[in-house]
């Protein structure tokens, strides 16, 4: 309705200010998935509709706990381990979840949704962005770039790698994608507040670009055939990190710091040689930093001697480069738990997937 030459918004402003706003028995509800349009044209309108919105409800994707309740109400039986993987593929989007079939495995469902010849989500990526954003081609370029790096890119890097001009158009695209929960912005620990990074947080987009787009395969059972491949194992590891960032409230609750102000970011060393990377830092106002390691595992996670050396190197590199004076607490976020051995004492606090499903945290 609101195409560039339609004049819809101007006409609507005249209708509302000239008549609609004065009717006691009239309530206007604007509802839709085009979050950026609603935000720019209505909520943040600086023209005739300025300050006209009386209330707003933003429906975010379901959490793991909400997704589990949805599955139960639909009679879908899945272990929490499989629910994690399902969430990492389609996110907490009720429409995608409604396409799952009862009585079949998760792997079979993924093949039916993405890899069969008539799979319902095979062409969903272009349809999704085309329906949500007027500048969808620019948005898709940004998403495709962010999908290539877990910690994301700065605005300068985005312009250099995509060829998009660094102006108001790029600002509008980044804002629209962030408002719509496709990307998030953050500042890395120890860096200037002006250096903002953008990272992809939409599970569906990440999965689609990793396994569907450009993949020339006639195997309609691709997921079932490759379920234990190195490629899928690597994807589970990266996607689990994104899932954990989205469930930071559950992680804080498990740590007993729900009421403490925190900043949560990844961190990477600036050194090209012998550098280090930390999945998640929870920088707390009570003078403690939780150094979080996320490990998606089929069983209890085991700290080996080589991984123990990596942990020591990470801690040393972080302290030396950032000159951090806060107390550091190593924290493990994993699926089932931690195997007891001579190195398990590295992690005084272990958070499992059951903590991520906590229903008391919404």
């Amino acid at each position: 309705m609101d195409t560039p030459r339609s004049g819809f918004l101007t006409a609507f402003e005249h209708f509302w200010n000239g008549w609609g706003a004065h009717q006691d028995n009239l309530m206007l509800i604007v509802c839709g998935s085009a979050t950026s349009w609603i935000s720019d044209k209505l909520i943040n309108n600086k023209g005739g509709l300025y300050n006209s919105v009386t209330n707003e409800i933003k429906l975010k994707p379901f959490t793991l706990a909400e997704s589990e309740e949805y599955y139960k109400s639909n009679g879908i039986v899945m272990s929490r381990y499989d629910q994690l993987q399902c969430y990492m593929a389609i996110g907490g989007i009720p429409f995608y979840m409604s396409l799952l079939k009862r009585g079949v495995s998760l792997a079979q469902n993924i093949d039916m949704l993405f890899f069969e010849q008539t799979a319902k989500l095979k062409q969903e990526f272009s349809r999704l962005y085309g329906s949500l954003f007027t500048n969808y081609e620019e948005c898709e370029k940004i998403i495709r770039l962010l999908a290539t790096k877990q910690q994301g890119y700065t605005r300068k890097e985005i312009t250099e790698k995509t060829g998009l001009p660094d102006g108001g158009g790029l600002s509008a695209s980044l804002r629209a994608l962030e408002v719509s929960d496709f990307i998030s912005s953050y500042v890395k620990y120890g860096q200037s507040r002006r250096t903002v990074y953008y990272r992809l947080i939409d599970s569906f987009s990440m999965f689609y670009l990793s396994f569907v787009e450009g993949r020339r395969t006639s195997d309609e059972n691709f997921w079932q055939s490759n379920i234990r491949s190195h490629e899928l194992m690597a994807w589970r590891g990266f996607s689990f990190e994104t899932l954990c960032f989205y469930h930071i409230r559950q992680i804080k609750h498990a740590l007993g710091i729900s009421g403490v102000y925190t900043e949560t970011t990844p961190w990477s060393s600036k050194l090209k040689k012998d550098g280090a990377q930390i999945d998640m830092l929870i920088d707390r106002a009570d003078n403690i930093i939780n150094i979080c390691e996320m490990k998606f595992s089929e069983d209890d996670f085991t700290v080996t001697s080589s991984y123990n050396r990596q942990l020591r190197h990470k801690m040393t590199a972080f302290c030396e480069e950032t000159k951090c004076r806060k107390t550091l607490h190593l924290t493990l976020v994993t699926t089932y738990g931690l195997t007891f051995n001579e190195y398990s004492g590295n992690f005084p606090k272990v958070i499992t997937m059951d903590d991520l499903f906590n229903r008391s945290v919404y």
Side-chain angles (χ1 to χ4, degrees):
M1 293 172 68
D2 189 29
T3 54
R5 295 190 183 94
S6 69
F8 167 77
L9 199 62
T10 301
F12 177 71
E13 290 175 354
H14 284 303
F15 157 75
W16 186 252
N17 292 324
W19 184 81
H22 307 292
Q23 308 306 309
D24 293 335
N25 63 339
L26 179 63
M27 176 185 291
L28 175 70
I29 300 174
V30 181
C31 177
S33 56
T35 314
S36 59
W37 186 92
I38 295 174
S39 175
D40 293 340
K41 306 296 186 180
L42 298 179
I43 297 174
N44 298 315
N45 187 290
K46 297 194 171 44
L49 296 176
Y50 174 76
N51 203 30
S52 293
V53 177
T54 54
N55 197 11
E56 59 180 286
I57 301 174
K58 182 178 179 181
L59 296 180
K60 298 179 73 66
F62 282 175
T63 62
L64 283 168
E66 291 164 337
S67 299
E68 185 174 50
E69 290 179 16
Y70 181 86
Y71 291 138
K72 287 180 178 179
S73 69
N74 279 8
I76 296 176
V77 179
M78 258 197 296
S79 67
R80 285 187 166 180
Y81 181 80
D82 278 347
Q83 287 184 52
L84 283 181
Q85 296 182 79
C86 188
Y87 198 98
M88 293 188 291
I90 61 175
I93 308 301
F95 170 65
Y96 298 157
M97 295 160 62
S98 71
L99 301 177
L100 297 174
K101 289 187 177 180
R102 288 179 287 182
V104 298
S105 69
L106 173 62
Q108 288 174 306
N109 264 310
I110 290 179
D111 280 330
M112 286 189 287
L113 291 179
F114 291 99
F115 300 105
E116 287 186 358
Q117 190 171 359
T118 58
K120 292 183 179 180
L121 298 182
K122 207 167 192 176
Q123 308 298 327
E124 173 68 9
F125 184 83
S126 57
R127 287 199 299 259
L128 174 65
Y129 286 88
S131 65
L132 293 182
F133 307 105
T134 53
N135 54 340
Y136 68 92
E137 292 179 341
E138 187 169 303
C139 289
E140 285 185 19
K141 276 188 178 181
I142 296 171
I143 292 296
R144 285 191 172 91
L145 173 66
L146 298 185
T148 64
K149 190 176 180 182
Q150 185 72 3
Q151 294 196 1
Y153 294 95
T154 63
R155 182 187 179 109
K156 181 181 179 182
E157 291 172 331
I158 291 172
T159 58
E160 291 173 350
K161 294 179 181 296
T162 62
L164 296 172
D166 187 6
L170 179 61
S171 298
S173 296
L174 291 172
R175 183 172 61 253
L177 288 168
E178 188 164 12
V179 167
S180 302
D181 289 318
F182 285 92
I183 67 174
S184 66
S185 60
Y186 70 94
V187 177
K188 285 188 177 181
Y189 181 88
Q191 293 195 13
S192 168
R193 286 280 175 184
R194 295 181 180 180
T195 307
V196 178
Y197 284 80
Y198 297 90
R199 68 197 303 261
L200 177 61
I201 59 171
D202 181 58
S203 297
F204 168 79
S205 297
M206 193 180 302
F207 180 88
Y208 189 94
L209 294 173
S210 298
F211 295 106
V212 182
E213 185 173 83
R215 182 177 294 276
R216 297 179 179 179
T217 177
S218 58
D219 186 1
E220 295 191 347
N221 299 314
F222 171 80
W223 203 256
Q224 296 172 74
S225 303
N226 295 274
I227 197 166
R228 294 192 177 277
S229 67
H230 176 73
E231 182 183 19
L232 267 61
M233 295 299 290
W235 165 78
R236 291 185 184 101
F238 289 129
S239 299
F240 185 59
E241 291 180 25
T242 302
L243 181 150
C244 289
F245 269 95
Y246 191 75
H247 289 79
I248 185 60
R249 292 177 65 186
Q250 286 76 10
I251 292 174
K252 286 182 62 175
H253 184 270
L255 290 171
I257 57 170
S258 294
V260 179
Y261 175 78
T262 60
E263 293 281 351
T264 307
T265 72
W267 177 83
S268 55
S269 170
K270 294 181 179 179
L271 300 178
K272 293 184 179 180
K273 184 179 180 181
D274 295 330
Q277 181 172 305
I278 294 174
D279 299 337
M280 175 193 286
L281 287 177
I282 303 178
D283 185 12
R284 297 159 46 173
D286 57 358
N287 211 39
I288 291 174
I289 294 180
N290 288 90
I291 307 291
C292 299
E293 289 282 297
M294 275 81 85
K295 297 297 179 182
F296 188 89
S297 176
E298 294 180 340
D299 204 340
D300 288 350
F301 181 73
T302 301
V303 181
T304 63
S305 60
S306 60
Y307 181 56
N308 178 59
R309 287 194 296 272
Q310 291 177 31
L311 287 173
R312 293 205 310 268
H313 175 66
K314 284 184 182 186
M315 299 288 277
T316 301
F318 177 75
C319 290
E320 290 180 351
E321 288 191 45
T322 64
K323 310 300 180 185
C324 176
R325 296 183 178 181
K326 291 189 175 183
T327 304
L328 303 183
H329 287 183
L330 262 175
T331 305
L332 177 67
V333 186
T334 187
T335 43
Y336 291 106
L338 182 64
T339 303
F340 178 78
N341 63 10
E342 65 266 40
Y343 305 117
S344 57
N346 282 316
F347 293 107
K349 183 64 178 179
V350 179
I351 296 170
T352 67
M353 63 181 171
D354 288 339
D355 295 311
L356 301 179
F357 278 87
N358 194 320
R359 284 181 169 77
S360 64
V361 184
Y362 282 108

